[in-house]
Amino acid sequence: MATQDTPRGTGATLQAFENKILSQMREAEARIQQFEGKAKDERLRAEAAAVNGMKTARQGIERKLNQLATMQDRQIPRAKAEIDAAAAALKASLDEFGRKLATLQTK
């Protein structure tokens, strides 16, 4: 139900945002699983801990994304910004970890 301060099209915009973030989280999950397997194979405890940290970050993003549906309209822009920032930070962590793991495997 739209409130007076809900701009038209908010539902479609919110759905597009959710789809974008969910896609990023599917990609993150695939990369996390790949890294987890490699870290276990190499018996790298620190890397396994980093993978667990990335899993926790991904789960936190998904939890925040699920909470969007129950938020008041005026809270959504801030929540979306926080989710975007967390997703970008997770992607950066994944990229950095991927590079680190690749260099460890070549040694």
Side-chain angles (χ1 to χ4, degrees):
M1 175 177 202
T3 61
Q4 288 179 330
D5 62 348
T6 304
R8 291 201 175 269
T10 298
T13 302
L14 188 56
Q15 185 63 46
F17 176 77
E18 288 178 5
N19 290 341
K20 177 185 89 167
I21 297 298
L22 287 172
S23 174
Q24 291 175 353
M25 293 306 99
R26 284 190 296 273
E27 180 182 329
E29 177 62 19
R31 291 182 72 188
I32 287 170
Q33 287 178 0
Q34 177 186 25
F35 295 158
E36 184 175 40
K38 288 181 180 180
K40 284 182 181 176
D41 289 344
E42 299 294 324
R43 301 177 196 266
L44 302 172
R45 292 181 208 177
E47 283 72 12
V51 168
N52 287 334
M54 289 182 280
K55 280 183 173 180
T56 300
R58 181 190 48 81
Q59 291 167 346
I61 293 167
E62 289 176 343
R63 185 174 51 257
K64 288 178 182 180
L65 188 61
N66 289 334
Q67 293 170 347
L68 279 177
T70 61
M71 288 185 172
Q72 294 179 358
D73 292 334
R74 68 177 189 272
Q75 295 172 320
I76 290 175
R78 179 175 172 222
K80 284 173 59 176
E82 290 174 0
I83 292 168
D84 257 340
L90 177 58
K91 183 179 183 324
S93 294
L94 290 166
D95 292 344
E96 180 182 339
F97 188 80
R99 286 187 298 273
K100 181 179 178 182
L101 198 56
T103 60
L104 288 174
Q105 290 178 337
T106 60
K107 290 183 179 179

